[in-house]
Amino acid sequence: MTPSTGGPAMENQNPTLYKRAADREITPAELDNNVVDPFDAREIFDLIRNINDPEHPLSLEELNVVEERLCLVNDQQNTIDVTFTPTIPHCSMATLIGLCIRVKLLHALPPRFKVTVKISPGAHVSEAAINKQLADKERVAAALENSHLIKVINECIFAAPPTFSKIIRN
């Protein structure tokens, strides 16, 4: 049983760990409320990088599930596209991870943005089916009405992930 989901044992018991990117330095212009500051890929990455993986006490960034280069932003057209890469091609948590990313962005961004979340091409055996689920607003809304699922998503989104150095020491 996994701690977060209460489901079967972990599929990827020894995932490869990646070093976290340095925190982005905030410029004086970003602190000035009179300056228009368009959204960029790093800002979107910063919103999702600390989401916890449903199976591991690690962030999606530490597992290389999300990367800044796979966050595409078009501020003028109000679109954000995030592509994520599950750690294994048959990951049963891929849909849940996609939902976590989508929920985090929908809560953090202005409603003007159309958010698309999808799996990296060729990274999952059920890529097409999962992408179809994540793109279907009605299916996403129905999933978010499930109280158990919402609890798991909130645990992934709002739990503070352990740092890489803490994992190495234990």
Side-chain angles (χ1 to χ4, degrees), residues 1-162:
M1 298 281 241
T2 60
S4 297
T5 63
M10 288 184 208
E11 295 172 341
N12 186 4
Q13 292 186 11
N14 296 306
T16 303
L17 301 179
Y18 296 82
K19 187 175 179 179
R20 294 176 53 83
D23 288 335
R24 180 174 64 108
E25 288 188 35
I26 298 174
T27 64
E30 291 174 305
L31 297 174
D32 185 349
N33 290 332
N34 297 318
V35 175
V36 176
D37 180 26
F39 285 89
D40 61 18
R42 181 56 193 249
E43 200 164 357
I44 300 307
F45 176 69
D46 284 344
L47 288 171
I48 63 174
R49 69 192 278 198
N50 291 321
I51 295 173
N52 277 353
D53 180 81
E55 287 189 315
H56 300 284
L58 300 165
S59 72
L60 296 183
E61 178 187 19
E62 290 168 322
L63 293 169
N64 209 38
V65 172
V66 295
E67 300 175 67
E68 181 180 353
R69 70 180 183 83
L70 297 177
C71 298
L72 305 176
V73 178
N74 187 324
D75 198 58
Q76 293 77 29
Q77 293 185 1
N78 301 317
T79 60
I80 294 175
D81 297 310
V82 174
T83 303
F84 69 99
T85 309
T87 59
I88 53 177
H90 54 277
C91 176
S92 64
M93 298 291 156
T95 304
L96 178 59
I97 291 168
L99 279 172
C100 289
I101 293 168
R102 188 170 180 82
V103 168
K104 175 70 176 188
L105 292 176
L106 291 174
H107 284 221
L109 295 170
R112 68 182 172 98
F113 282 105
K114 179 183 187 283
V115 175
T116 303
V117 177
K118 60 185 177 283
I119 293 180
S120 296
H124 196 280
V125 295
S126 300
E127 171 191 339
I130 293 170
N131 285 344
K132 184 176 179 179
Q133 285 181 313
L134 293 173
D136 187 330
K137 290 180 185 178
E138 290 177 9
R139 285 174 127 176
V140 170
L144 298 180
E145 290 178 7
N146 179 314
S147 60
H148 174 70
L149 191 54
I150 282 292
K151 182 180 177 201
V152 174
I153 289 170
N154 284 338
E155 286 174 4
C156 292
I157 291 174
F158 297 113

